[in-house]
């Protein structure tokens, strides 16, 4: 028997392939049913619809996203993990482990042959189905695929990208498909094997595999959200395009894989590096692994300690977030969550690691973990690292991005580089830090239920999220996010906004728009449900020229404080390369836009968009949940009310009359009575300034 085994260097590889080829065949069939067969039916349906035109459009307009469908990816993940479990299952079974390691085959050979057997059985079905997919495309004469990418526009927004649909050759497309699937299934398989070297229980191996594939992303989010709770000014935004790469499992199941087609290679390179490292580390652990580890939950003492402290850390952070979510305004809830999560996490991890309920015998480890966590928590909370008080020096700052100063909710596309603006932002930043307690109380108050009588229209409060990002000369970025009362910081915000540089930054997309790419301009007066569409090239050019002048003169009261009504919403419509319309840019139209108003009057669009106060007999204003009613007949007041109302139907109007009194919120509604006698039912804007105006009108009755 020994000579027979020695005579074949690949006996383990051949045996593994022979024993588990049935699973490889099932995988190949499953892929065939999910991909080539579905693609054939889809192309056949498209061809029958196009008829004689198919030959012309087959290589130009066909789009298919089934190649990257999560269902097919889910099948590939399951198969890769299953192969990782069964091919090295002998390590988790004491008798099988003893038998295999008694064979005259070195451990490194056992490892590589089983590893290659698994890769062969996983990759062959992928290669076969890849060829079938390519063949299906060839049979139907498809040579190129229009691949939509909704995130392909230039981040600086200089022009409308005509390549939102990328013409990708079939060969290039399937090269990427093969690379992606071979890499990801190989990574999942190798990682499963790596986890198997750490544990002696197959069920725990499977569970830890999926946990490990999500862990980097989960740990990143846990740390980030906990720091947000602990550190004042810690940014809250998450860049999904960057963060999702931390979890290959999430990235692979993301239905938007096609959006990154051929555009981001860094993540895939890191996956290749990770796969190689896991291979080498697994081999090292295998050679050091004791046969007696079979049946144990974890294969070595150091692995137990890593597992226990790792689980306890994640449980502590999760507990803090969970309890603080139940009570956003309570710091005590956060600390209570840390305590409960840490204790439960440590106890459960200890019982799993040692397969024993006698966790209390190892109480010293829990004390050490608790002490270390408390020290770290205290150092962060006390800001020993100087994070919360840090404001870069003027001469260190190259540029600064400041967002939050416009109601259009469009992030600034250009930075502020002027020394005056950098100085103003730094002054604002220092003042925010100085009034930290006041700002924190404001943020907490927003998370509390509004008590009866808390809102008074004569005392409106405007809250904004201020995002500050400094770019230093060294290239390092310093980012902070704060919730502030706009009125409290008006003396700092006002001069920042009123500089031309800031307005060019806020409305940068408008200035960078290539007018030739805009095919349509929609103007929607949502107050009264009226709209105008402009298609003429000369008029679009004229409108954009007027708007570029107006945004430089827009007032702080209109764009920031909401003290000027938004008369209409402007939508700039562009077309993709496959003639599909999409909204390229939105812009609010304020009373301040004198040039644009002159444009509308010149071309007769004002009458189509707005209701003339002279055509209105009266506006009846009612207070929800109250008998208070006032009939406004003054034309100047009618003009004001027309700009602060929103259209609704009669049914809603009647329902509001039955609405109970809500002392925590004031709401006004009513109807416009035209001279023709027809009523127009409306609800009035709920913004503090609009509420204040209407409140005064009600008092003047």
């Amino acid at each position: 028997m020994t000579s027979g085994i020695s005579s074949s260097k690949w006996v383990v590889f051949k045996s593994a392939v022979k024993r588990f080829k049935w699973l490889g065949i099932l995988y190949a069939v499953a892929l065939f049913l999910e991909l080539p067969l579905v693609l054939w039916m889809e192309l056949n349906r498209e061809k029958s619809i196009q008829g004689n035109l198919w030959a012309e459009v087959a290589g130009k307009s066909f789009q298919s996203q089934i190649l990257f469908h999560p269902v097919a990816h889910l099948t590939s993940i399951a198969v890769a993990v299953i192969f990782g479990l069964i091919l090295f299952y002998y390590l988790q079974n004491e008798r099988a482990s003893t038998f295999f390691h008694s064979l005259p085959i070195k451990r490194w050979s056992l490892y590589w042959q089983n590893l290659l057997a698994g890769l062969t059985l996983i990759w062959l079905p992928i290669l076969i189905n890849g060829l079938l997919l390519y063949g299906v495309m060839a049979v139907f004469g498809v040579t190129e695929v229009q691949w939509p990418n909704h995130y392909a526009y230039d981040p600086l927004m200089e022009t409308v990208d005509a390549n939102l649909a990328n013409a990708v050759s079939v060969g290039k497309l399937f090269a990427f498909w093969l690379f992606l699937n071979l890499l990801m299934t190989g990574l999942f398989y190798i990682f499963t094997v790596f986890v198997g070297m750490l544990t002696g229980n197959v069920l725990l191996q499977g569970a830890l595999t999926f946990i490990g594939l999500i862990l980097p992303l989960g740990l990143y989010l846990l740390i980030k959200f906990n720091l947000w709770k602990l550190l004042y000014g810690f940014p809250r935004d998450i860049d999904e395009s960057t963060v999702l790469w931390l979890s290959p499992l999430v990235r692979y199941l993301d239905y938007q894989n096609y959006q990154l087609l051929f555009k981001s290679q860094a993540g895939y390179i890191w996956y290749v590096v990770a796969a190689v490292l896991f291979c080498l580390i697994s081999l090292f652990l295998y050679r050091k692994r004791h046969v007696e580890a079979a049946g144990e939950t974890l294969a070595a003492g150091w692995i137990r300690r890593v597992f226990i402290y790792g689980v306890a850390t994640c449980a502590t952070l999760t507990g803090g977030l969970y309890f603080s979510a139940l009570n956003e305004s309570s710091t005590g809830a956060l600390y209570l969550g840390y305590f409960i999560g840490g204790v439960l996490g440590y106890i459960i991890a200890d019982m799993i690691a040692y397969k024993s309920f006698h966790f209390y015998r190892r109480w010293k480890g829990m004390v050490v973990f608790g002490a270390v966590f408390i020290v770290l928590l205290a150092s962060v909370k006390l800001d020993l690292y100087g994070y919360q008080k840090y404001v870069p020096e003027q001469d260190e700052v190259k540029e600064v991005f400041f967002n939050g100063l416009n109601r259009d909710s469009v992030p600034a596309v250009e930075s502020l580089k002027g020394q005056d603006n950098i100085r103003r932002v730094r002054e604002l930043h220092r003042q925010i830090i100085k009034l930290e307690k006041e700002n924190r109380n404001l943020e907490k108050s927003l998370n509390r239920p509004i008590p009866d009588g808390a809102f008074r229209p004569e005392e409106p409060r405007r809250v904004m999220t201020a995002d500050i990002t400094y770019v230093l000369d060294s290239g390092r970025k310093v980012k902070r996010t704060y919730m502030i009362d706009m009125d409290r910081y008006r003396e700092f915000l006002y001069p920042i906004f009123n500089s031309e540089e800031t307005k060019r930054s806020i409305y940068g997309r408008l200035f960078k728009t290539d007018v030739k790419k805009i095919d349509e301009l929609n103007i929607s007066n949502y107050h009264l449900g009226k709209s105008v569409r402009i298609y003429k090239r000369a008029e679009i050019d004229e409108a954009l020229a007027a708007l570029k002048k107006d945004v430089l003169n827009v007032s702080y009261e209109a764009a920031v404080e909401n003290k000027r009504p938004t008369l209409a919403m402007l939508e700039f419509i562009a077309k993709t390369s496959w003639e599909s319309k999409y909204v390229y840019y939105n812009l609010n139209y304020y009373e301040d836009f004198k040039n644009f108003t002159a444009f509308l009057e010149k071309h007769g669009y004002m009458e189509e968009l707005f209701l003339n106060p002279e055509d209105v007999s009266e506006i009846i204003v009612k207070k929800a949940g109250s008998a208070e009613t006032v009939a406004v007949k003054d034309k100047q007041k009618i003009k004001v009310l027309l700009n602060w109302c929103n259209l609704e139907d009669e049914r809603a109007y009647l329902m509001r009359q039955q609405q109970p009194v809500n002392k925590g919120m004031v709401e006004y509604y009513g109807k416009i009575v035209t001279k023709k006698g027809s009523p127009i039912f409306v609800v009035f804007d709920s913004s503090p300034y609009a509420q204040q105006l209407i409140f005064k009108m009600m008092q003047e009755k």
Side-chain angles (χ1 to χ4, degrees):
M1 178 178 177
T2 301
S3 61
I5 294 175
S6 302
S7 63
S8 175
K9 295 182 179 180
W10 294 96
V11 63
V12 175
F13 173 83
K14 294 177 181 177
S15 174
V17 171
K18 184 177 180 180
R19 283 185 298 134
F20 299 113
K21 63 182 180 183
W22 61 272
L23 183 56
I25 294 172
L26 286 179
Y27 178 41
V29 173
L31 284 181
F32 173 78
L33 295 175
E34 292 171 347
L35 296 173
L37 182 61
V38 174
L39 181 63
W40 177 282
M41 292 188 293
E42 185 176 338
L43 285 171
N44 192 55
R45 184 181 69 252
E46 289 289 328
K47 185 176 181 180
S48 63
I49 293 173
Q50 296 292 341
N52 295 331
L53 298 175
W54 175 251
E56 298 179 14
V57 302
K60 297 180 181 179
S61 62
F62 178 72
Q63 301 176 37
S64 177
Q65 300 171 10
I66 65 168
L67 298 181
F68 299 91
H69 199 283
V71 172
H73 287 172
L74 191 61
T75 302
S76 296
I77 293 169
V79 170
V81 172
I82 289 172
F83 270 115
L85 295 175
I86 62 178
L87 280 168
F88 287 86
Y89 174 70
Y90 65 90
L91 292 175
Q92 323 301 353
N93 183 281
E94 187 174 354
R95 292 182 61 184
S97 180
T98 302
F99 170 75
F100 272 93
H101 293 128
S102 66
L103 296 175
I105 302 175
K106 294 182 178 180
R107 283 198 176 194
W108 67 267
S109 183
L110 277 172
Y111 172 79
W112 285 115
Q113 289 192 51
N114 277 299
L115 189 74
L116 292 175
L119 291 175
T120 300
L121 292 169
I122 295 170
W123 284 352
L124 268 179
I126 295 175
L127 292 170
I128 292 170
N129 278 277
L131 292 174
L132 290 174
L133 286 167
Y134 188 84
V136 170
M137 288 286 196
V139 168
F140 283 89
V142 179
T143 57
E144 286 185 342
V145 175
Q146 293 289 339
W147 208 252
N149 186 340
H150 299 297
Y151 296 117
Y153 57 75
D154 185 351
L156 293 179
M157 305 169 190
E158 295 179 352
T159 59
V160 177
D161 189 352
N163 295 317
L164 285 177
N166 301 311
V168 179
S169 67
V170 171
K172 191 176 182 180
L173 176 66
F174 284 112
F176 175 81
W177 183 87
L178 286 173
F179 167 75
L180 177 67
N181 285 279
L182 293 176
L183 169 62
M184 301 305 283
T185 53
L187 176 61
F188 297 141
Y189 169 66
I190 291 169
F191 184 76
T192 306
V193 173
F194 163 75
V195 174
M197 302 304 165
L198 303 176
T199 180
N201 183 286
V202 69
L203 294 178
L204 187 60
Q205 179 187 359
L208 290 179
T209 296
F210 286 103
I211 292 173
L213 290 171
I214 301 175
L215 183 62
L217 175 60
L219 195 58
Y220 170 85
L221 295 176
L222 281 175
I223 293 173
K224 184 174 179 66
F225 287 131
N226 276 276
L227 288 177
W228 169 51
K229 293 285 185 180
L230 296 169
L231 289 174
Y232 183 58
F234 195 83
R236 313 172 189 187
D237 61 323
I238 297 175
D239 184 1
E240 291 189 8
S241 63
T242 302
V243 170
L244 290 183
W245 287 106
L246 292 173
S247 172
L249 185 65
V250 174
R251 178 77 274 175
Y252 192 53
L253 287 175
D254 184 7
Y255 195 35
Q256 310 304 319
N257 268 302
Y258 63 88
Q259 294 180 345
L260 300 171
L261 195 63
F262 315 115
K263 289 187 176 294
S264 179
Q265 291 80 32
Y268 300 124
I269 293 173
W270 280 112
Y271 289 163
V272 172
V273 172
V276 173
L277 287 176
F278 284 131
C279 268
L280 299 177
I281 296 172
S282 297
L283 177 59
F284 173 79
L285 293 174
Y286 186 23
R287 298 182 70 174
K288 298 292 183 181
R289 180 187 174 102
H290 297 292
V291 175
E292 294 80 8
E296 296 291 330
T297 52
L298 297 167
W302 67 270
I303 300 174
R304 289 192 184 96
R305 290 189 289 276
V306 171
F307 175 78
I308 292 172
Y309 291 125
V311 171
T313 300
C314 292
T316 302
L317 297 176
T318 303
L321 283 182
Y322 177 76
F323 277 81
S324 66
L326 298 178
N327 191 344
E328 290 279 355
S329 60
S330 172
T331 305
L334 178 67
Y335 298 147
L336 177 64
Y338 286 151
F339 176 77
I340 295 176
V343 171
L344 290 179
Y346 190 95
I347 291 174
I348 293 172
D350 185 272
M351 289 191 296
I352 293 174
Y354 290 98
K355 295 194 300 184
S356 169
F357 288 103
H358 303 300
F359 60 87
Y360 48 84
R361 296 178 180 176
R362 293 171 290 276
W363 60 271
K364 293 181 180 179
M366 184 185 296
V367 173
V368 171
F369 169 77
V372 171
F373 186 84
I374 290 172
V375 170
L376 289 174
L377 179 63
S379 68
V380 172
K381 189 63 179 175
L382 296 174
D383 196 25
L384 298 181
Y385 312 104
Y387 180 91
Q388 299 177 107
K389 304 295 183 183
Y390 177 66
V391 178
E393 295 298 328
Q394 181 91 13
D395 56 2
E396 292 181 321
V397 180
K398 179 181 179 182
E399 55 186 346
V400 60
F401 288 88
F402 184 60
N403 288 314
L405 273 178
N406 69 309
R407 287 162 57 194
D408 295 302
S409 301
V410 178
V413 300
E414 287 186 352
S415 61
L416 304 178
K417 299 180 181 179
Q419 291 301 309
D420 287 341
N421 272 330
I422 292 175
R423 173 181 55 78
R424 291 166 183 154
V425 172
R426 291 181 64 253
E427 289 175 352
L428 169 66
H429 191 180
R430 285 198 296 266
Q431 185 68 10
I432 292 174
I433 294 173
K434 183 179 179 180
L435 301 178
E436 174 187 344
K437 186 176 181 180
E438 179 181 319
N439 298 328
R440 282 183 178 272
N441 290 334
L442 168 66
E443 191 167 352
K444 287 181 180 179
S445 69
L446 298 176
N447 295 319
R448 297 193 191 106
I450 300 175
D452 289 348
F455 177 82
R456 294 199 302 272
E458 67 271 18
E459 296 181 4
R461 183 178 62 186
R462 286 170 283 275
V463 179
M464 70 171 281
T465 301
D467 288 315
I468 304 173
T469 303
Y470 300 99
V471 180
L472 307 185
D473 290 328
S474 61
R476 186 168 70 94
K477 292 184 178 181
V478 177
K479 185 169 186 178
R480 300 291 187 269
T481 301
Y482 303 99
M483 190 78 72
I484 62 175
D485 185 338
M486 295 165 59
D487 292 337
R488 190 75 169 82
Y489 295 89
R490 194 179 196 277
E491 62 178 297
F492 299 95
L493 297 172
Y494 189 87
I496 295 174
F497 178 82
N498 278 320
S499 69
E500 181 177 333
E501 183 185 32
T502 301
K503 291 178 180 178
R504 286 187 177 274
S505 172
I506 292 174
Y507 299 104
R509 192 168 184 179
L510 176 66
F511 287 101
K512 290 179 173 294
T513 297
D514 184 351
V515 179
K516 296 179 181 178
K517 301 288 185 179
I518 301 299
D519 299 287
E520 181 182 330
L521 175 59
N522 287 350
I523 310 171
S524 301
N525 177 3
Y526 52 85
H527 299 297
L528 299 173
K530 296 186 176 185
S531 64
V532 168
R533 292 190 176 186
I534 301 175
Y535 298 96
K536 295 179 181 179
R537 170 57 52 197
E539 291 185 6
I540 292 175
D541 294 351
E542 186 179 349
L544 287 175
L547 289 169
K548 289 177 181 179
K549 295 178 183 178
D550 286 330
V551 294
L552 295 179
N553 296 312
V554 66
S555 67
Y556 181 85
E557 291 78 8
V560 181
E561 293 185 318
N562 199 19
K563 291 182 178 179
R564 303 283 189 276
T566 301
L567 302 183
M569 173 65 72
L570 309 180
E571 291 181 335
F572 301 90
I573 309 297
K575 292 182 180 178
T576 61
S577 59
W578 69 90
E579 296 302 305
S580 176
K581 293 183 179 181
Y582 74 104
V583 178
Y584 168 63
Y585 183 47
N586 290 331
L587 182 67
N588 287 330
Y589 166 34
Y590 305 116
E591 283 183 320
D592 295 349
F593 288 8
K594 305 301 182 185
N595 294 286
F596 188 71
T597 300
F599 160 78
L600 294 177
E601 291 175 345
K602 175 183 175 182
H603 295 281
Y605 293 127
M606 290 294 288
E607 295 179 1
E608 296 183 50
L609 284 168
F610 303 103
L611 184 62
N612 192 324
E614 298 298 328
D615 296 329
V616 177
S617 297
E618 62 179 357
I619 297 180
I620 298 174
V621 182
K622 292 176 174 288
K623 184 178 179 180
S626 171
E628 288 187 59
T629 302
V630 61
V632 178
K633 297 183 179 181
D634 181 81
K635 299 304 179 184
Q636 188 59 39
K637 291 182 178 180
I638 287 175
K639 181 180 179 181
V640 172
L641 291 174
L642 288 175
N643 291 334
W644 290 106
C645 70
N646 292 302
L647 195 67
E648 70 173 10
D649 57 29
E650 184 177 4
R651 181 182 178 185
Y653 172 82
L654 295 174
M655 290 179 64
R656 289 183 191 279
Q657 292 183 325
Q658 307 300 321
Q659 183 176 325
V661 178
N662 184 348
K663 295 183 180 179
M665 181 181 68
V666 179
E667 186 176 43
Y668 296 101
Y669 68 103
K671 61 181 177 179
I672 302 168
V673 181
T674 65
K675 288 187 175 180
K676 295 180 179 179
S678 56
I680 301 174
F681 300 98
V682 295
V683 59
F684 294 97
D685 197 290
S686 60
S687 65
Y689 188 76
Q691 295 272 303
Q692 187 181 41
L693 285 175
I694 301 171
F695 176 78
K696 289 181 178 179
M697 289 185 188
M698 297 290 283
Q699 298 302 309
E700 293 172 0
K701 65 180 181 179

